[in-house]
Amino acid sequence: MSGSSAALQPPADAAKPVRHPDAPAPGELLGAHYEHCFGCGGGQPHGLHLEARAGEGVSLTAEFTVQPAHQGAPGLAHGGLLATALDETLGSLNWLLRTIAVTGRLETDFVRPVPVGTTLHLQAEVVAVAGRKIYCTATGRIGGPEGPVAVRADALFIEVKVDHFIDHGRTEEIRAVMDDPDQVRRARAFEVNP
């Protein structure tokens, strides 16, 4: 997080992140937090269908393949869509902390173009926690997990209560989630993003 703005620098008294004892095991697929999430949900025909796997500590890896519907310039991924992939990846880290948090700030660097058909290999980790603030970083590479960097981001997530989503979400979606008998699915639907 060295090149990020002051708002994304953890304070001197920030704590090292601690993986929750019930977090998925390293290598485990996290799955969609919400079926209709544009980033990870299978219910979005033009979504990213991003798949994240738990890593060591408070880290993870993720992948998604750029589809024709994701274009900005001809044959290239839209920059906002790449920022969405980074945000989704960073937000997935909260599942390893077992914390409900929303994106407070996201700073993205676009290093090189990402062509349609390319699989973006993402790595993310939480670097510090200070009260309700969660500081994290992510990198997206093309050509493989060790390939050249295409995008990177630093972010600040803010821990919230589930009421944040209930108070601000659309009633019909909130009701559908709250009526889901699967407690894990119900909890995960409110996991990330404002």
Side-chain angles (χ1 to χ4, degrees):
M1 297 185 85
S2 57
S4 59
S5 70
L8 293 176
Q9 296 300 318
D13 63 348
K16 184 176 175 172
V18 177
R19 182 190 189 99
H20 192 280
D22 296 331
E28 188 175 325
L29 188 64
L30 300 183
H33 74 94
Y34 177 52
E35 178 67 15
H36 299 289
C37 173
F38 182 80
C40 65
Q44 290 292 340
H46 297 297
L48 304 184
H49 302 161
L50 185 135
E51 292 190 344
R53 291 189 181 280
E56 297 293 330
V58 189
S59 72
L60 58 78
T61 59
E63 291 183 1
F64 93 96
T65 301
V66 179
Q67 302 299 318
H70 302 152
Q71 293 180 83
L76 297 174
H78 190 286
L81 183 114
L82 296 173
T84 300
L86 288 161
D87 183 52
E88 184 68 27
T89 301
L90 290 159
S92 296
L93 289 164
N94 296 310
W95 188 240
L96 302 176
L97 298 171
R98 287 295 176 97
T99 298
I100 298 172
V102 296
T103 310
R105 185 176 186 100
L106 176 70
E107 289 186 12
T108 305
D109 295 315
F110 301 95
V111 179
R112 63 176 31 91
V114 180
V116 169
T118 299
T119 298
L120 192 64
H121 300 268
L122 297 132
Q123 297 173 310
E125 68 176 326
V126 176
V127 295
V129 176
R132 293 176 46 225
K133 295 180 177 181
I134 302 164
Y135 298 86
C136 44
T137 188
T139 304
R141 298 173 181 272
I142 56 176
E146 304 302 321
V149 172
V151 292
R152 61 178 162 249
D154 292 321
L156 171 64
F157 280 75
I158 309 296
E159 183 178 353
V160 296
K161 303 292 182 209
V162 74
D163 292 354
H164 170 89
F165 301 96
I166 294 168
D167 293 346
H168 301 288
R170 209 165 65 155
T171 306
E172 50 266 40
E173 281 88 355
I174 297 297
R175 188 171 295 119
V177 168
M178 297 304 279
D179 290 343
D180 189 333
D182 185 319
Q183 289 184 350
V184 172
R185 263 200 324 254
R186 195 167 55 231
R188 288 202 68 202
F190 299 111
E191 178 178 287
V192 293
N193 298 331

